[in-house]
Structures are given as structure tokens and as C-alpha cells.
Amino acid sequence: MKIGILAIQGDFELHRKALTSLSINSSFVRSSKDLDDIKALILPGGESTTMSLLMNKFDLFNSIRKFSDNFNLFGTCAGAILMSAGSGDQKVKNLGLINVFTKRNSWGAQIDSFSDIINLSKNEILSDKFYATFIRGPRFLKVSKDCKVIGRYKNEPVLIRNDKHLISSFHPEIGKDLSIHKYFINMINE
Ligand code: GLN
């Protein structure tokens, strides 16, 4: 199985490193044809406005949407913003893959970046705690009933899934604990 990582801007290298550590093949996605031989896609953190522009430029917006009908997506930070239903920002083109609204830069500016323990719903893959890094992350608002909140920080949702897709407002690729990636890999096999 090969997982693709959108590699037009942002933190794609670290996701590749995480997948390699878990012995998962990965490839970078920069055009529609790169979606042909992958079984899932990660949208990394970065700048959702820039990624919106580049997804349009490289003709990726509609092909990623089509891909998401049949395959799993995992969006971290800016990737989560792109996957959400809306962010109230005209510069962002939301894919609308998960019924959650996002408010950009809602945990503070770059200088307010922080790492702290978040609480997870424990299962066979996840333990009840994860040390998460937040870098100008979004807040998740109006989480609809078809979504499941898997992670919370100070009672606010920070890791959410629906049937096929997963979003985090933090950066699970930073640090040694790769359990959130493992959880996503397990979703692909569900
Ligand atoms: N603030 C960025 C945005 O709005 C996201 C930051 C990140 O991905 N670390 O797109």
C-alpha cells in the first residue's frame, strides 16, 4: 500500500519520514496523475491560502475531491482547514470533506506555538494521551453529528474523523509518537 502526501507547499517531508518509520511506502502528489497509484492522501500543515492557490494552479482541487469519494484523507492543520466545510475566508478554497467549520490561526500566532498533552479516546492503537504541537492551528467549530471527536485539548475538539476522513488542528508528524499516523493507516484498512 502506498500513501500520497500533497507536496505543493508546507510540511510534507516530515509526513514522509513518519510513514517511512512505520514501513509505509509514500509518494509526493503534485499533479492529478500522482493520485493514480495511491490508496490514501495526507494534506500537510503549511499555509491554506497558498495551498488553495496552488491546488487550483496544478488542477488538483477537483481531482482530490473525486479521489476522496473512494479513498481516505488525513488533513493536518492547514490540511484540515482545506478539508473542512468552510473557514469564513475567501482566500481559502475548502474541499468540504468533513462537516466541521474551521477558524484559522485560532490558537495564536506563530510566536504562540506550543506543545502540550491532549486527551484522546483510547483504543487498541491510541493511548489516552498525546503530546501535540500547535503552530497557528485552526479551531474546529460546528462539528456535525456524523463526526466523531477523537482528541480534545482543554475540552475543545482537536482531532476529528468521519467515516473516511481524519483532521487534526495540531502537527502529529512532529515528535516521536506516531500513533496518530498509525490510527490513520488503520482507517485505510477498516
Ligand atoms: N495558519 C495556517 C493556515 O491558516 C495553518 C498553520 C499550519 O498548518 N501550521 O493555513
Side-chain angles (χ1 to χ4, degrees):
M1 177 184 62
K2 203 205 283 185
I3 298 181
I5 305 159
L6 183 67
I8 51 177
Q9 194 266 336
D11 189 18
F12 47 86
E13 287 285 357
L14 272 184
H15 281 285
R16 172 162 241 184
K17 231 174 124 190
L19 294 175
T20 305
S21 307
L22 296 170
S23 307
I24 299 288
N25 275 332
S26 62
S27 60
F28 289 146
V29 170
R30 294 186 171 114
S31 71
S32 299
K33 71 169 178 12
D34 297 335
L35 296 166
D36 288 347
D37 66 336
I38 55 170
K39 288 280 169 283
L41 179 64
I42 294 178
L43 307 190
E47 193 53 53
S48 54
T49 52
T50 310
M51 283 195 226
S52 295
L53 282 175
L54 293 175
M55 277 201 310
N56 254 352
K57 184 169 171 189
F58 299 133
D59 230 357
L60 274 162
F61 188 84
N62 289 327
S63 37
I64 289 179
R65 236 195 203 160
K66 220 191 233 157
F67 179 85
S68 74
D69 288 340
N70 299 312
F71 300 100
N72 308 78
L73 261 72
F74 177 19
T76 63
C77 214
I81 295 168
L82 293 173
M83 281 172 63
S84 70
S87 345
D89 187 329
Q90 287 188 350
K91 296 200 290 293
V92 176
K93 209 170 164 202
N94 306 93
L95 288 155
L97 307 184
I98 187 158
N99 225 331
V100 170
F101 282 80
T102 44
K103 187 160 189 290
R104 299 178 59 218
N105 303 323
S106 203
W107 295 97
Q110 189 85 13
I111 195 169
D112 304 312
S113 299
F114 65 96
S115 301
D116 205 351
I117 305 231
I118 62 167
N119 297 100
L120 300 182
S121 310
K122 192 172 165 62
N123 62 18
E124 58 288 344
I125 298 167
L126 301 175
S127 79
D128 57 346
K129 303 249 181 288
F130 184 87
Y131 190 64
T133 297
F134 292 79
I135 307 168
R136 291 192 305 127
R139 270 194 159 82
F140 294 154
L141 312 169
K142 298 190 211 161
V143 179
S144 101
K145 284 210 171 73
D146 62 339
C147 299
K148 195 169 154 203
V149 176
I150 305 167
R152 288 183 187 273
Y153 180 60
K154 297 191 170 159
N155 241 2
E156 285 201 51
V158 292
L159 180 66
I160 298 177
R161 69 169 289 180
N162 61 14
D163 247 11
K164 268 211 292 291
H165 309 308
L166 180 68
I167 55 171
S168 71
S169 52
F170 56 93
H171 282 260
E173 75 286 7
I174 295 178
K176 289 204 179 73
D177 183 352
L178 299 177
S179 54
I180 313 269
H181 284 79
K182 270 192 212 156
Y183 182 80
F184 179 61
I185 293 159
N186 194 60
M187 277 174 67
I188 302 167
N189 298 320
E190 269 171 10

